[in-house]
Amino acid sequence: MRIFSGIQPTGGMHIGNYLGAITQWLELQEKHECFFCVVDLHALTLPQDPDELRKATHQKVVELLALGINPEKCTLFIQSQVPEHSELAWILNTLTPLGELERMTQFKDKARKQVASSVFAGLLNYPVLMASDVLLYKTQGVPVGQDQSQHLELTRTLAKKFNQRFGETFVEPKTILKKEGAKIMSLADPKRKMSKSDKADSYLGIFEEPESLKKKVMGAVTDTGKEIRFDPTKKPGVSNLLTIYSLFSVEPIQKVEKKFQKKDYAFLKKSLAALLIEKLEPLRRKKKELDTRDLYVKEILRRGQQHASSLARATMEEVREKVGLLEP
Ligand code: AQP
């Protein structure tokens, strides 16, 4: 299968990104042809400081390498370094009904967090750029967290529409979701997904200092009652902590539930904090080491860009011809 997936450069990587998406990338790179991308153009849909954005983009690549993304097994690159992403997005924009974009949950959520005068067309068009990221490589599978499912439905709709109008061109990609971990919830409000644009106490960074991890886990919102039970509807806070524990300890949720059955919330939190600190320490160390290897990272990105560009160019030649544009 050909696989594509992306991550935004801004904000540190949190355990939601890791458990929902990156752990899938790690598995898929072993067996499939994978394209992994830092989607800096997506970050521009919200106001960014130019220097900070450049640094964050480089940092995100370092983070992915520290987590085990292996450039010998996949193509790792930066979205804006392959300009065909934007070109295809424009063409797909001309096929996308405005209403489809306005009903996107993520647009509504993100627009709500901004003052009205800072909600720009780019934020509305975000899913079209995402569709172009995926379709450009004739991708068959896209590993993501659950929050991206709606965007991928639109991607399939646009592929179908283009194919019907201009002839068979794009593959309709399937969404690859984890059974557990597709939606890690916020520590501050376990009814909402963990998100890097929320307050810092609501998410756990993968590369965060042990003390800070511990403080955040101990402060996580739990539920009324004392019982430790996996019940996401009635006990969303505790269930979220059990899910995180189960995924990091690689033990089934039932086993974890049993382990904490007769314990109290404080014990669960202390155990989870200790587990996270133990599991994340080697990743923090690896990242520190990679932080000093700028040239190595740049070389990976150069190779990634070259390979991704060769495929992207071929698709765009086909698209330009089909929609009636003159050759450049
Ligand atoms: N809470 C989550 N649980 C599981 N998966 C998640 N993902 C994000 N949050 C969770 C998945 O992580 C991948 C990369 O996400 P992204 O950085 O491109 O942007 P996002 O989905 O918008 O993530 P955030 O952290 O919530 O950012 P903001 O605050 O900017 O909205 C994706 O596959 C995503 O599904």
Side-chain angles (χ1 to χ4, degrees), residues 212-225:
S212 171
L213 285 174
K214 190 169 176 196
K215 199 168 159 213
K216 287 187 186 179
V217 173
M218 295 311 291
V221 167
T222 37
D223 317 295
T224 49

Side-chain angles (χ1 to χ4, degrees), residues 4-219:
F4 177 95
S5 194
I7 184 161
Q8 294 197 61
T10 42
M13 172 113 46
H14 58 69
I15 63 163
N17 301 136
Y18 179 68
L19 297 173
I22 309 302
T23 52
Q24 299 204 75
W25 297 16
L26 294 171
E27 273 173 36
L28 289 162
Q29 72 175 356
E30 298 300 327
K31 290 203 196 112
H32 300 279
E33 185 194 7
C34 293
F35 289 79
F36 298 133
C37 183
V38 176
V39 291
D40 52 349
L41 294 173
H42 281 280
L44 291 179
T45 57
L46 294 175
Q48 304 293 343
D49 174 87
D51 280 339
E52 291 300 318
L53 178 60
R54 256 186 296 273
K55 272 189 219 144
T57 304
H58 180 92
Q59 262 300 300
K60 193 59 65 183
V61 177
V62 169
E63 290 180 7
L64 290 172
L65 295 171
L67 296 180
I69 295 302
N70 183 344
E72 302 301 323
K73 296 180 177 172
C74 68
T75 302
L76 180 59
F77 69 105
I78 308 290
Q79 183 188 32
S80 65
Q81 294 184 337
V82 181
E84 284 81 2
H85 286 248
S86 318
E87 190 181 356
L88 181 57
W90 177 255
I91 291 172
L92 295 180
N93 262 314
T94 65
L95 299 175
T96 312
L98 197 54
E100 292 265 343
L101 298 178
E102 282 165 341
R103 72 179 182 84
M104 290 288 153
T105 316
Q106 199 178 73
F107 168 69
K108 288 195 268 184
D109 271 3
K110 289 195 174 177
R112 210 178 299 129
K113 287 180 189 170
Q114 302 292 312
V115 284
S117 57
S118 304
V119 178
F120 299 110
L123 191 61
L124 184 71
N125 289 323
Y126 183 115
V128 184
L129 180 58
M130 178 166 157
S132 88
D133 297 338
V134 171
L135 298 180
L136 197 51
Y137 300 95
K138 308 208 173 180
T139 304
Q140 288 150 305
V142 189
V144 282
Q146 206 179 66
D147 61 322
Q148 297 299 332
S149 294
Q150 198 185 26
H151 292 166
L152 283 169
E153 262 169 50
L154 178 72
T155 302
R156 286 188 285 273
T157 305
L158 291 177
K160 210 179 290 163
K161 239 182 176 176
F162 188 99
N163 291 347
Q164 276 164 0
R165 191 145 153 206
F166 299 107
E168 205 57 28
T169 309
F170 294 120
V171 177
E172 287 176 43
K174 68 172 189 176
T175 307
I176 309 179
L177 287 179
K178 291 254 308 243
K179 264 204 197 100
E180 312 277 349
K183 193 174 184 186
I184 298 297
M185 309 310 279
S186 156
L187 296 184
D189 177 1
K191 292 207 168 116
R192 293 162 49 88
K193 80 155 191 146
M194 184 175 283
S195 194
K196 62 182 170 290
S197 54
D198 283 343
K199 281 200 285 181
D201 63 353
S202 68
Y203 61 84
L204 297 165
I206 291 286
F207 302 101
E208 210 164 313
E209 295 292 327
E211 266 317 299
S212 171
L213 285 174
K214 190 169 176 196
K215 199 168 159 213
K216 287 187 186 179
V217 173
M218 295 311 291

